[in-house]
Amino acid sequence: MVSGQWQSEKEKEKEKAIDDWLPITSSRNAKWWYSAFHNVTAMVGAGVLSLPYAMSELGWGPGIAVMVISWIVTLYTLWQMVEMHEMVPGKRFDRYHELGQYAFGEKLGLYIVVPQQLIVEVGVCIVYMVTGGRSLKKFHDVVCSDCKQIKLTFFIMIFASVHFVLSQLPNFNSISGISLAAAVMSFSYSTIAWVASVDKGKQEHVEYGYKSDTQERTVMRFLAALGDVAFAYAGHNVVLEIQATIPSTPEKPSKKPMWKGVIVAYIVVALCYFPVAFVGYWAFGNGVEDNILVSLSRPHWLIAMANMMVVVHVIGSYQIYAMPVFDMMETVLVKRLRFPPGLTLRLITRSAYVAFTMFVGITFPFFGGLLSFFGGFAFAPTTYFVSAPHTYLTLPPHCNKPFDIAIMIPASLHHICIILGVLLMILAPIGALRDIIGNIIDKQYKFYQ
């Protein structure tokens, strides 16, 4: 009996040692402002620069409605996730899939959450690998317009070289400085985009109608634009992992500082998204490019600076989205396959992941063009309904549900979020797939640019 207890305690100690090594649970001393800039870095991606283009496909009325409703719905679902992080006394759901497993069952929760979370996180990392390379290339071409043209492939490799080093940082708190710089950069280049648009003013002969020549193409591009908006609000996939880094006690639960950080982050999101989307569309109408900086083009020094800000931001964003993937990989290797935790394991696994995303980015430099498809297929479920409303409704009745939402908020609101999310998940990929097929037929997609 004593031997059995000793063995059990030894197993617990070994489990704790592994948890103290894994990236998500290794450091729990973050402050509320850490969550603010982590969430800004995760949410405000370089996709903000394509929001005026999404507006041009949606139109004024539907565009404003979709942007504002998405902001409100995703803030509400994010609040629920923050509350559900420690709704079971004595337990914290440190990872998205842990909450899914508690709500849907041990196996089903994994099958529902993990594939979608991986599609989002790996997809974002690949997109940011390409975006970082493209922004470096744009900076080079603007600053040195007479220089010899260098292939995009080499700029992606330069961008990736930074991540081979940064990916060895152990956890979220160790990348807090990078995340802060990324958050400041995202706000800065967003401000440059809309202020420069105001300065440029409303262009001559600007039009706000749909530019597609057929009704079918108009509808499909409208649906694809919904996917672009879904991608813009994709930060939910790392929320629980960010909250796991904040200390928590029964007297001072982590949800209070986390929610304070989320509020600050969402104010910044609104200050970035709405002016860029609305002012950019106002200035250029349906002639706006899919990157507002391309439409601005001048002054050269400002566009060069904005592109370098994008580079710094996507460096931070890549690390934020990569950290939960690192955690999954290392958990499987250490807990299931019994590899010894240590520097060697971390160096090999994380370097292999960076190399993989770099290779895919180099091979498919048009990967960003697939965002509308992924935005609807995976970003919408994990942000609009699987993230909280559906999970909440599936929870066992004995849980400490957030602020007793069953009394405060009618179940119909949860169902509205679910319906909106499901519609977005179905409709956005249809429009995106039509665009992808059209681009393939027109041979607009080129490998190894």
Side-chain angles (χ1 to χ4, degrees):
M1 184 74 174
V2 175
S3 175
Q5 282 183 336
W6 178 80
Q7 195 170 5
S8 176
E9 285 179 14
K10 193 175 179 183
E11 284 292 323
K12 285 181 181 177
E13 285 178 13
K14 188 178 178 182
E15 193 78 13
K16 186 180 183 303
I18 291 173
D19 285 338
D20 288 342
W21 179 79
L22 290 170
I24 300 302
T25 49
S26 64
S27 179
R28 295 190 188 270
N29 58 1
K31 308 297 183 186
W32 72 265
W33 53 87
Y34 283 34
S35 79
F37 50 73
H38 280 331
N39 277 292
V40 170
T41 302
M43 188 78 74
V44 185
V48 65
L49 299 175
S50 68
L51 288 177
Y53 182 77
M55 282 290 298
S56 74
E57 302 291 4
L58 295 168
W60 275 121
I64 292 173
V66 168
M67 290 290 297
V68 173
I69 290 171
S70 291
W71 189 88
I72 294 168
V73 169
T74 56
L75 178 60
Y76 167 64
T77 56
L78 192 52
W79 169 70
Q80 282 191 307
M81 289 192 76
V82 169
E83 291 289 333
M84 288 192 288
H85 177 76
E86 43 200 356
M87 64 187 167
V88 178
K91 181 174 176 60
R92 297 181 71 175
F93 296 110
D94 294 322
R95 299 165 178 88
Y96 202 152
H97 69 80
E98 290 175 6
L99 178 61
Q101 286 176 289
Y102 187 77
F104 301 110
E106 203 68 27
K107 283 190 176 180
L108 184 61
L110 275 179
Y111 296 151
I112 289 175
V113 174
V114 171
Q116 294 187 79
Q117 192 179 14
L118 281 175
I119 287 172
V120 170
E121 289 166 353
V122 177
V124 167
C125 286
I126 294 168
V127 168
Y128 285 162
M129 192 66 77
V130 177
T131 304
R134 284 192 187 281
S135 296
L136 275 175
K137 189 176 189 310
K138 285 175 188 171
F139 175 81
H140 170 269
D141 293 347
V142 170
V143 171
C144 189
S145 55
D146 298 328
C147 294
K148 182 182 177 182
Q149 287 293 306
I150 301 173
K151 287 180 67 175
L152 175 62
T153 294
F154 297 112
F155 285 104
I156 294 175
M157 291 171 73
I158 293 168
F159 182 77
S161 65
V162 176
H163 294 292
F164 280 110
V165 177
L166 294 181
S167 64
Q168 303 310 314
L169 294 172
N171 51 52
F172 270 120
N173 287 344
S174 64
I175 61 170
S176 56
I178 300 165
S179 182
L180 173 60
V184 172
M185 290 300 104
S186 64
F187 182 76
S188 300
Y189 70 70
S190 297
T191 303
I192 287 173
W194 71 262
V195 169
S197 296
V198 169
D199 181 65
K200 206 168 182 76
K202 189 174 179 181
Q203 300 300 290
E204 285 185 43
H205 311 299
V206 67
E207 294 182 6
Y208 299 112
Y210 298 115
K211 58 186 174 185
S212 298
D213 48 0
T214 65
Q215 189 172 3
E216 179 242 354
R217 190 174 285 248
T218 299
V219 171
M220 290 302 174
R221 286 188 173 175
F222 183 95
L223 298 179
L226 294 177
D228 289 334
V229 174
F231 174 72
Y233 290 96
H236 290 55
N237 290 274
V238 291
V239 165
L240 293 179
E241 287 81 355
I242 291 170
Q243 191 170 350
T245 65
I246 298 175
S248 182
T249 63
E251 298 77 28
K252 293 182 178 179
S254 65
K255 65 184 180 182
K256 291 182 179 179
M258 180 66 183
W259 180 239
K260 191 188 293 186
V262 168
I263 288 294
V264 172
Y266 255 71
I267 291 171
V268 175
V269 167
L271 292 174
C272 291
Y273 282 16
F274 297 151
V276 172
F278 303 152
V279 174
Y281 182 46
W282 166 80
F284 299 102
N286 60 20
V288 69
E289 298 288 341
D290 59 0
N291 183 332
I292 185 68
L293 296 181
V294 176
S295 293
L296 290 167
S297 71
R298 293 176 185 276
H300 291 312
W301 65 269
L302 189 65
I303 304 307
M305 186 170 68
N307 275 295
M308 191 48 69
M309 287 176 176
V310 173
V311 172
V312 175
H313 174 234
V314 294
I315 285 173
S317 293
Y318 182 100
Q319 291 299 315
I320 291 288
Y321 278 96
M323 198 62 74
V325 181
F326 295 155
D327 183 79
M328 288 186 202
M329 293 164 62
E330 290 165 11
T331 299
V332 170
L333 289 169
V334 172
K335 289 190 174 182
R336 292 194 179 182
L337 302 180
R338 304 295 179 185
F339 280 86
L343 180 62
T344 304
L345 178 68
R346 185 158 279 171
L347 182 66
I348 293 171
T349 54
R350 296 190 178 192
S351 298
Y353 177 77
V354 173
F356 168 75
T357 54
M358 179 188 72
F359 173 74
V360 176
I362 289 171
T363 308
F364 306 100
F366 51 83
F367 197 85
L370 312 180
L371 275 187
S372 298
F373 179 78
F374 286 117
F377 184 69
F379 291 70
T382 53
T383 301
Y384 289 80
F385 67 96
V386 172
S387 57
H390 190 51
T391 303
Y392 170 82
L393 293 173
T394 317
L395 289 172
H398 62 268
C399 288
N400 293 332
K401 294 186 178 181
F403 293 119
D404 196 7
I405 300 177
I407 296 172
M408 292 180 62
I409 299 172
S412 58
L413 190 56
H414 299 285
H415 290 119
I416 289 169
C417 291
I418 292 169
I419 291 166
L420 287 174
V422 170
L423 286 173
L424 194 56
M425 182 184 72
I426 294 170
L427 296 176
I430 293 172
L433 201 57
R434 169 66 181 78
D435 260 6
I436 291 167
I437 292 168
N439 287 331
I440 291 172
I441 293 170
D442 296 340
K443 296 182 178 180
Q444 291 186 22
Y445 288 155
K446 296 178 182 178
F447 300 95
Y448 299 104
Q449 289 181 18

